[in-house]
Amino acid sequence: MYNAKAYSATSATARLASAIIVRRDPTETDVQIEVLFCGVCHSDLHQTRNEWSGIMPTVYPCVPGHEIVGRVTKVGSAVAKYKLGDLVGVGCLVDSDGTCPACKRDLEQFCPNSTLTYNFPDKHLGGVTYGGYSDSIVVDQRFVLRIPTNLNLAGAAPLLCAGITTYSPLRHWDVTKGKKVGVVGLGGLGHMGVKFAHALGAHTVVFTTSPSKIEDALRLGADEVVLSSDANQMRQHAASFDFILDAVAADHDINAYINLLTIDGNITLVGAPEKPLPVPAFSLIMGRRSLSGSPIGGIAETQEMLDFCGQHNITADVEIIPIQKINEAYERMVKSDVKYRFSIDMTSLKSE
Ligand code: NAP
Ligand code: ZN
């Protein structure tokens, strides 16, 4: 075991602050990584503030962070896939059983015995897992991803969660050229959804509550932008979408979007608001529309997404911050004031 520097929250109302945590020494199949950048996901905020207490209660101290890129500093004797100095990534998953039907289909995100990167029982050290707001992390090689070397590292970090969480449902629902696709909420996830839908050739429409984001949405690849508060603009798109990706982090009227789906259209929730969203049965019945959810993606698909980003030169639009600005960043995220992902420069932890 060794000590690592980190930022943690000690309660749902505490500010994140500097802390020392214990990491395991790499086992023979482990990779030790120096964390260079860690993206700031809205899930980090939900979790540190215990906003998902019903389904995933937070254990304190909580070290969030599951959009990790870094450099390999040590490998176990059985690690063949990575060597010292390689640029690698770690997302939301750090373990799964490898034998269940989900794992056999490369869908580790549905494995009943998977381990999330933070706030999950740590089978090596006891207690819970600690995430990427840290100077180093140790992860089994199966859950380590390769980062294409042409990508900007600060912008690549958010691909590990925001990237795969939007790429996976767009692929699953067969978003291609000729399809009309909506993306609701231009935050960290939403802006990646726009980049991917555009790169996949779909006619892409962004729904935002923020007039200040309209120009950016077009620059990011949207063909049209709708201010969701404008009932007239919303009506013009009635019953016309093949697919809508809902990436909103807070309470909102999902029925307004269900009504924009065409026959057999699907709306997939990736946003995970604290409270349940009411869904009128008739909106789904009329038009045989469907409502789904989707969590992150499997490891193979995450690598596929990273390689796709390498080929198309896609990264997140980031605002780089030192870890000391993390509490301010959370406050801005609550106000939807993020363009479009914070990425923490982990060298800032050295001064703690
Ligand atoms: P984010 O960067 O804070 O973006 C959320 C966006 O939602 C905001 O930028 C805003 O976009 C919109 N929004 C916020 N409040 C709203 C409101 N009251 N009404 C309507 N729109 C509102 O968050 P994120 O990191 O992208 O995460 C989004 C959600 O996905 C979170 O709940 C997060 O926990 C969840 N998530 C799920 C998964 C998964 O596996 N399914 C993975 C990661 C994250 P506009 O300004 O454009 O309106
Ligand atoms: Zn996330």
Side-chain angles (χ1 to χ4, degrees), residues 23-328:
R23 298 285 193 195
R24 68 177 182 269
D25 292 318
T27 66
E28 58 180 17
T29 59
D30 278 340
V31 176
Q32 185 190 51
I33 300 160
E34 177 196 1
V35 182
L36 298 176
F37 288 95
C38 186
V40 179
C41 181
H42 207 113
S43 302
D44 299 348
L45 186 155
H46 289 307
Q47 193 74 67
T48 51
R49 297 187 178 179
N50 205 15
E51 290 177 355
W52 294 332
S53 55
I55 179 145
M56 279 197 261
T58 307
V59 178
Y60 296 97
C62 173
V63 178
H66 56 208
E67 295 187 335
I68 299 164
V69 294
R71 204 174 280 287
V72 174
T73 46
K74 209 184 250 184
V75 292
S77 57
V79 174
K81 222 170 135 191
Y82 298 104
K83 59 178 188 329
L84 261 60
D86 282 357
L87 285 175
V88 293
V90 177
C92 302
L93 289 168
V94 289
D95 202 11
S96 73
D97 61 26
T99 56
C100 72
C103 286
K104 285 194 174 140
R105 290 176 58 198
D106 286 332
L107 298 170
E108 296 87 355
Q109 70 272 38
F110 303 120
C111 171
N113 301 307
S114 65
T115 303
L116 296 182
T117 305
Y118 60 81
N119 197 60
F120 228 75
D122 183 339
K123 67 180 189 194
H124 296 270
L125 297 177
V128 290
T129 50
Y130 294 135
Y133 294 9
S134 175
D135 57 3
S136 99
I137 190 164
V138 177
V139 179
D140 186 277
Q141 61 173 339
R142 284 199 301 133
F143 293 86
V144 177
L145 287 307
R146 192 170 292 285
I147 305 293
T149 50
N150 61 316
L151 295 181
N152 169 277
L153 287 186
L159 301 177
L160 276 306
C161 175
I164 184 60
T165 301
T166 50
Y167 180 86
S168 182
L170 289 171
R171 294 302 307 265
H172 178 79
W173 291 96
D174 199 23
V175 165
T176 49
K177 198 166 162 42
K179 298 276 175 80
K180 185 173 174 185
V181 170
V183 176
V184 188
L186 199 64
L189 265 57
H191 97 290
M192 289 311 308
V194 175
K195 291 189 184 207
F196 287 135
H198 174 75
L200 293 167
H203 182 86
T204 307
V205 183
V206 166
F207 294 90
T208 181
T209 60
S210 308
S212 69
K213 294 181 182 174
I214 292 174
E215 262 178 49
D216 284 346
L218 295 168
R219 176 180 56 78
L220 292 165
D223 297 287
E224 295 178 63
V225 187
V226 173
L227 258 187
S228 49
S229 55
D230 184 334
N232 194 31
Q233 282 186 44
M234 292 291 280
R235 248 192 315 274
Q236 284 170 20
H237 289 276
S240 65
F241 282 88
D242 298 293
F243 178 74
I244 296 178
L245 187 73
D246 184 331
V248 174
D251 199 14
H252 62 292
D253 177 15
I254 187 184
N255 192 42
Y257 299 101
I258 295 174
N259 287 329
L260 302 187
L261 294 171
T262 184
I263 297 168
D264 290 330
N266 171 270
I267 179 166
T268 290
L269 294 177
V270 287
E274 195 177 350
K275 297 203 186 85
L277 302 165
V279 176
F282 271 100
S283 298
L284 292 173
I285 290 169
M286 301 313 291
R288 200 166 54 192
R289 297 153 167 158
S290 63
L291 165 66
S292 315
S294 184
I296 48 171
I299 294 300
E301 193 175 41
T302 305
Q303 190 62 61
E304 176 191 307
M305 177 275 309
L306 287 167
D307 295 343
F308 181 88
C309 289
Q311 280 150 23
H312 295 261
N313 209 12
I314 293 175
T315 52
D317 286 27
V318 292
E319 181 175 335
I320 299 174
I321 55 163
I323 187 78
Q324 291 79 6
K325 291 259 190 231
I326 189 66
N327 294 295
E328 210 175 304

